[in-house]
Amino acid sequence: MSLKQMHIKNAFELPKEKVVNEFYERIITIPIEARTNLKNELITMIGEERTRGVFIRYGWHCGVSDAEKAMSLEWDDQIDLALAGPKFHMLHGYLDKVEILEMSFDEQKKCNFIKVLWINTFEATQYLKAKGLSQEPVCHNLCGYASGYLSKVLQQPILVKEVECRAMGHEQCKCICMPIEKWGDQITSDLSYYQNNSMIKELDEITAKLKMERDHLSKASDIHRQLIEELLSNQGIQKVVDILFETTGLNVFIEDEYNQIIVKSGNLPEQLSLNKFRDSNTTFVRYSEKLSLLRTPIYYGQQIKGYCSFVYSGDNHPNELDYMIIENAAITSSLILFNESIKVNTEQTIKRSFLNDILEGRLAKEEMYKIAYYLDFNPSSTYWMLTLEGFVKESSIENELAFNEELIGHIHLFLKERSINSIVSQKLNKIIILIEYPTFEKLHITQSSFIDQLLRHCSRRFPKYRISVGVSSVIQEFAQTVTLYNETLAALRTTNNRKNVYYFEDLGIESVLFQLQDDVLIERFVNQHIGRLLEADSSEFELIKTLYTYIDNGSSINNTAKELSMSISGLRYRLTKISEILNHDLNDTQYAFTLYLAINILKAKGKIEI
């Protein structure tokens, strides 16, 4: 009886040689050792992952071929065909025995799952013999075979996954056969092995990628060359962002360590708040719904001295070339900023030394003018001065000096941004700013607005410090710089908790006393003349206010009474009391002037309000 006329349940009861000859026109045998050596050579040539795919797909095709042969026999239902699969396994010598642990089919005879035990598979035996224990299942050929066979005979995509393997140390190999849709995400990586990817196609993709990287390297190298050329030609940091904008078409800017934009190219939003972006590596960050930034830090020394950023609109993202370009640009910017820093620091050191020499009287007038011309200060121009004093919590001199040096750098940046010709120096723990007045006038703002901007600029960087400012008058002679300094010190002496900016020109005759360097002398002058009156007066300073109003009105009883809304008799009584306390005649004009001066000093210092 022909094998093809037999029921599949009985086909494998015949001798093995007859089954093989009936099923196959011709069959060859391959020694397991030869197959193992072939697998090892493939791993060497194309890698372990691709080799696994080769043998899984080889097993798949063998399984599909045997499924077609099984379907040519007599069979009642697809379960008959599925049960014949293990017999084909053993027919080929893939293993010694197959035990079906559990099977589940639905009412439509569709497979839910099949759990199988494989006894002594050849793949596990060979792996243990050659390499010892494995970290993962190794029966790839059998999994591919079972997947191909079951998918064909059951007419639904089945994937067989080995969950235990003897090569991993388990007692025997166990697998689960289940429709692909039931596996979910568990087989994402397994499915790729069943895809017949062309190595030529992969090579083409790799070649295209290498070509793109070569083009990127070429363009990045060209841009880097341009940046280096600008570095050598001393064009400055602005040229860097111009080159980046021209070559990439991306809006670009560079900011300093305080997150203030110092140069830009392209169209940027008017205001960018960058304080929250302080990464120490190149990062792509979402700034807003419409804007993203590719940012890289600019280092010199071990410190971040700024950032270089590309701007992207909408959902646009940087490519690899953008990363290469911006990092090269950051290196070039670092060198340029370092050179500029050395030049600026050297220039500022010379200017500071020059101003200190003037204030200490170490320069003759001719020498002073010569150096002024060299430092681009016109001796015939007009000048004014600000002296700043910062009140810090720490009282040590080292902390004050460090604070002042950092503040000086911050002030210099403020003045540089506004193109103001100036010298910023430090003396007696105070910061001195000498300004060429015409360069300030070009801003077309008032002195008070300018000082307010300066203080806001400083408070953003140093929010915990209170800064007081003394403001000089404007002079027409550069040689009078010492006078400006003395005026700012006099103005500083009048600052108080309610007012931290004082102008020398707002002082009256008391400005003469405020130019004394010794505060003790000023306090002694006040106490000597009105100290007893201060002790006797109320907390509202009624007596002091009455005396001040009386002198201010030229010792007129009527005018004083009217201004204070007092009766004349009441005023006379109060004036008599004041005269008795001071033990002096208030009608003495010279003495009244002295009292007036002492009260104005208290007023200027904010100790009384009149």
Side-chain angles (χ1 to χ4, degrees):
M1 183 179 181
S2 171
L3 184 65
K4 292 183 179 182
Q5 295 175 330
M6 298 180 65
H7 197 282
I8 196 168
K9 293 180 180 179
N10 304 319
F12 293 93
E13 295 177 0
L14 299 174
K16 179 178 179 180
E17 292 77 8
K18 181 173 179 59
V19 175
V20 169
N21 290 330
E22 287 282 341
F23 267 133
Y24 307 103
E25 294 181 2
R26 186 174 183 178
I27 194 167
I28 61 173
T29 59
I30 301 176
I32 291 179
E33 289 77 7
R35 181 192 176 281
T36 301
N37 291 334
L38 172 63
K39 184 176 182 180
N40 291 335
E41 288 189 16
L42 285 174
I43 290 173
T44 302
M45 289 188 295
I46 64 175
E48 191 164 340
E49 290 298 307
R50 287 195 179 91
T51 300
R52 178 184 300 184
V54 167
F55 281 94
I56 285 176
R57 290 191 296 275
Y58 169 71
W60 170 278
H61 292 303
C62 291
V64 170
S65 175
D66 282 352
E68 291 173 346
K69 292 176 175 56
M71 294 171 73
S72 66
L73 303 180
E74 295 292 328
W75 45 277
D76 298 330
D77 53 34
Q78 290 176 319
I79 296 178
D80 287 343
L81 295 174
L83 293 174
K87 297 178 181 179
F88 275 106
H89 264 332
M90 292 184 286
L91 179 68
H92 293 296
Y94 291 157
L95 40 66
D96 289 348
K97 185 179 179 183
V98 177
E99 293 182 8
I100 298 178
L101 302 176
E102 189 177 357
M103 292 179 63
S104 173
F105 285 79
D106 61 19
E107 295 177 354
Q108 285 77 36
K109 298 294 181 71
K110 290 290 184 180
C111 177
N112 289 323
F113 65 85
I114 304 174
K115 293 181 181 180
V116 178
L117 195 67
W118 290 335
I119 309 299
N120 195 24
T121 68
F122 82 95
E123 287 179 288
T125 300
Q126 285 300 110
Y127 192 95
L128 288 170
K129 182 179 178 181
K131 300 181 180 181
L133 288 176
S134 171
Q135 297 295 317
E136 56 186 355
V138 302
C139 300
H140 308 134
N141 204 150
L142 271 75
C143 285
Y145 181 97
S147 298
Y149 181 88
L150 290 173
S151 296
K152 182 68 176 179
V153 298
L154 298 179
Q155 298 298 300
Q156 60 182 125
I158 302 293
L159 188 136
V160 178
K161 187 176 179 66
E162 192 174 13
V163 294
E164 292 182 10
C165 184
R166 192 160 54 89
M168 297 174 63
H170 297 115
E171 186 176 350
Q172 295 297 340
C173 300
K174 183 187 293 184
C175 68
I176 297 176
C177 316
M178 197 156 59
I180 288 178
E181 67 271 11
K182 292 184 180 293
W183 279 108
D185 295 335
Q186 299 181 56
I187 58 167
T188 302
S189 59
D190 297 79
L191 286 175
S192 63
Y193 297 122
Y194 290 86
Q195 298 170 358
N196 186 17
N197 296 324
S198 168
M199 289 187 64
I200 299 299
K201 183 179 179 182
E202 289 186 22
L203 288 173
D204 287 342
E205 291 174 353
I206 294 172
T207 301
K209 187 176 181 180
L210 289 174
K211 183 178 182 300
M212 181 182 295
E213 290 181 357
R214 183 200 65 188
D215 294 341
H216 285 176
L217 285 171
S218 177
K219 187 172 182 179
S221 176
D222 181 60
I223 294 173
H224 186 60
R225 177 185 55 77
Q226 293 183 55
L227 294 174
I228 294 298
E229 288 176 356
E230 298 306 326
L231 170 64
L232 297 176
S233 63
N234 294 319
Q235 290 292 316
I237 200 73
Q238 178 63 50
K239 192 63 177 177
V240 171
V241 294
D242 290 342
I243 290 174
L244 294 177
F245 177 66
E246 292 168 4
T247 53
T248 66
L250 295 169
N251 298 325
V252 59
F253 63 87
I254 292 176
E255 68 204 75
D256 62 18
E257 58 190 303
Y258 306 112
N259 299 111
Q260 294 180 330
I261 296 176
I262 53 178
V263 289
K264 62 182 179 180
S265 194
N267 298 318
L268 299 180
E270 292 185 5
Q271 283 291 90
L272 283 175
S273 178
L274 302 165
N275 293 17
K276 59 182 178 180
F277 303 110
R278 303 287 297 177
D279 294 285
S280 57
N281 298 305
T282 303
T283 53
F284 181 66
V285 297
R286 173 66 70 175
Y287 179 84
S288 65
E289 291 184 3
K290 298 181 179 180
L291 207 67
S292 299
L293 304 174
L294 176 63
R295 292 165 57 78
T296 191
I298 298 173
Y299 285 93
Y300 55 85
Q302 299 297 320
Q303 296 180 324
I304 294 176
K305 291 298 182 180
Y307 291 87
C308 182
S309 300
F310 283 152
V311 182
Y312 299 81
S313 60
D315 295 327
N316 292 326
H317 286 69
N319 54 36
E320 293 181 7
L321 178 61
D322 294 342
Y323 279 89
M324 295 169 64
I325 292 173
I326 201 169
E327 289 176 355
N328 280 336
I331 295 172
T332 306
S333 300
S334 174
L335 294 173
I336 292 175
L337 290 176
F338 183 66
N339 289 337
E340 289 183 353
S341 175
I342 293 174
K343 186 166 72 172
V344 168
N345 288 338
T346 302
E347 180 182 345
Q348 289 302 308
T349 300
I350 294 172
K351 287 182 176 181
R352 290 171 67 172
S353 177
F354 173 56
L355 181 56
N356 289 337
D357 286 343
I358 294 175
L359 299 180
E360 295 295 334
R362 290 192 286 261
L363 296 176
K365 188 173 182 178
E366 291 184 0
E367 187 178 6
M368 183 192 307
Y369 280 21
K370 185 187 298 183
I371 297 175
Y373 272 119
Y374 173 75
L375 296 177
D376 198 27
F377 285 93
N378 183 1
S380 302
S381 186
T382 53
Y383 291 86
W384 67 313
M385 184 179 287
L386 309 176
T387 296
L388 282 64
E389 187 172 17
F391 296 92
V392 298
K393 292 182 179 180
E394 298 85 355
S395 59
S396 68
I397 294 177
E398 292 80 3
N399 284 328
E400 289 184 12
L401 291 174
F403 164 70
N404 283 350
E405 283 299 328
E406 192 172 357
L407 183 58
I408 285 173
H410 205 54
I411 292 172
H412 175 71
L413 177 64
F414 174 86
L415 298 170
K416 181 182 177 183
E417 288 176 345
R418 289 156 179 79
S419 302
I420 294 177
N421 196 20
S422 62
I423 301 176
V424 185
S425 186
Q426 182 175 188
K427 182 177 174 64
L428 299 175
N429 294 329
K430 295 178 176 63
I431 295 173
I432 309 161
I433 310 173
L434 177 65
I435 298 174
E436 189 172 358
Y437 200 74
T439 61
F440 157 73
E441 287 183 307
K442 291 179 181 178
L443 299 178
H444 301 293
I445 59 175
T446 63
Q447 289 183 346
S448 60
S449 296
F450 173 77
I451 294 171
D452 286 344
Q453 290 179 12
L454 174 61
L455 290 178
R456 283 198 300 271
H457 175 80
C458 294
S459 65
R460 283 195 294 267
R461 182 67 182 88
F462 309 100
K464 297 181 180 179
Y465 299 105
R466 179 181 177 273
I467 300 174
S468 296
V469 185
V471 186
S472 75
S473 60
V474 180
I475 61 169
Q476 301 289 332
E477 180 67 35
F478 189 81
Q480 295 179 357
T481 303
V482 176
T483 302
L484 292 181
Y485 180 58
N486 289 331
E487 288 181 358
T488 60
L489 293 180
L492 267 179
R493 291 174 186 273
T494 67
T495 57
N496 52 71
N497 291 331
R498 294 186 302 274
K499 187 176 181 181
N500 64 333
V501 180
Y502 217 100
Y503 296 80
F504 178 80
E505 292 180 339
D506 289 344
L507 300 176
I509 187 65
E510 66 272 14
S511 65
V512 177
L513 279 177
F514 279 128
Q515 292 190 64
L516 294 174
Q517 297 298 316
D518 194 347
D519 283 333
V520 175
L521 292 177
I522 298 174
E523 293 291 335
R524 185 182 300 169
F525 173 83
V526 173
N527 288 329
Q528 180 182 351
H529 295 289
I530 60 172
R532 284 176 292 178
L533 186 60
L534 285 171
E535 291 177 2
D537 209 351
S538 68
S539 60
E540 300 296 327
F541 299 106
E542 291 180 352
L543 298 179
I544 293 289
K545 292 178 181 178
T546 300
L547 177 59
Y548 181 82
T549 306
Y550 177 67
I551 300 172
D552 200 45
N553 280 280
S555 302
S556 169
I557 293 290
N558 291 329
N559 290 342
T560 304
K562 184 177 180 180
E563 184 173 336
L564 294 175
S565 301
M566 292 180 65
S567 65
I568 291 178
S569 60
L571 176 59
R572 287 185 187 278
Y573 171 78
R574 189 175 289 182
L575 291 173
T576 300
K577 183 178 179 181
I578 292 171
S579 179
E580 291 174 354
I581 293 172
L582 295 176
N583 194 24
H584 211 290
D585 183 5
L586 299 182
N587 292 319
D588 183 339
T589 305
Q590 185 175 352
Y591 181 65
F593 175 77
T594 302
L595 295 176
Y596 189 72
L597 179 60
I599 296 173
N600 268 322
I601 290 173
L602 290 177
K603 179 184 173 185
K605 281 183 168 292
K607 294 184 177 180
I608 61 173
E609 290 186 11
I610 298 177

